[in-house]
Amino acid sequence: MRTRSQSRNSNRQQQQVNPTFVEPFNLVEPIENQAPPVVTMDDTRTMAQLLEAPTVGYEDAIVVPEITADNFELKHGLLTLVQNKQFFGHDKEDPHAHIRYFNKITSTMKFPNVPSTSVKLMLFPFSLEGAARIWLEKEPPRSILTWDDLVSKFINKFFPPSKTTNLRNEITRFQQRFDETFYEAWDRFNDLLRACPHHGFSELHQLDSFYIALNSNDQDSLNSAAGGNFLEKMPCDCLRIIESKSKVCNSRNKPVVAKETSSSSTPGISPDVAELKDMVKALLLDKKNQTQAPTPVKAVEESCVTCGGAHSYQNCPATDGNVYRDNIQEYVSQVAAANFNQGNTGYRAPIANQIRSLGFPSVQ
């Protein structure tokens, strides 16, 4: 028979021998890790007050540093300048151009003991409207601390990488148009470069792309200005030649509006084209005349065959009695029947002479 002390010793030996023995897990968390109990007895707010919307957590995304200058105030005129050209976030708007314009406006005002970046952070929300303002309002509170952070987030939002790729492809595939002068081509090429300032193309790549995109006449003109091969010049010299040629061509290639003449031939246009233009003008004029409203026909006024007055012969005061009027009517009917039977619809008998033959003396 084993005693209680022997059984305790045997259990202790088994615990020492068995290495997989694990002490029981304590399910009770320490006091320091437990959340304090919610005490609702002391809360004296009503149900309506507890259901009210919170009034905290509505801070702006832009954090403006504290301004310690005395009598600092943003003038109303400065706000008006900023709001005159707001950014709406449309696809065709250029965020880089908006930043350049905003910097130009804010640089005109200087405040003593106030950093210019603080003024920009305060004014920038007033320059946004529409989708751009909604974007800024959706940014997390106090997430924009500096002016550089604001510019970076603004550009990346409204100038995505896909737009950068498209503009880079346009710069690479640039080609002078058929009806485009040298100045117009150079100006359009620079517009593409300004629209994507982070294109990454070096000056050498830009000049080479523009030279290859020109037509043969403009390439020959650049070679002549360079005194040989244009590509053998240094990039700075090539840029100077292009700028000089662009200014000269812009002054010479201004369009001259020719005065419209009555002749069918137009200077600078082939005879076939001029003839075709005249035919089109004639067709349009004919169509216009056909579509015009017809001119109203003036009503025929009555004239007496007896005295020439502005009344019918039946109402003539010079006649006396119905016999004369009946004779006139009978005679007119006979003349009309005779002309119809003979087929002479254009013949008209001298009515006045026949009237005189009925017994009235002729008028001398």
Side-chain angles (χ1 to χ4, degrees), residues 217-232:
N217 293 331
D218 287 333
Q219 287 183 357
D220 294 341
S221 178
L222 289 179
N223 292 330
S224 300
N229 190 356
F230 177 77
L231 298 178
E232 292 181 356

Side-chain angles (χ1 to χ4, degrees), residues 78 88 150 178 233 289 296:
L78 184 59
F88 290 84
L150 179 58
F178 175 75
K233 295 291 183 180
N289 294 334

Side-chain angles (χ1 to χ4, degrees), residues 248-259:
V248 173
C249 292
N250 183 32
S251 60
R252 291 181 179 178
N253 295 333
K254 291 183 178 179
V256 178
V257 180
K259 294 184 179 180

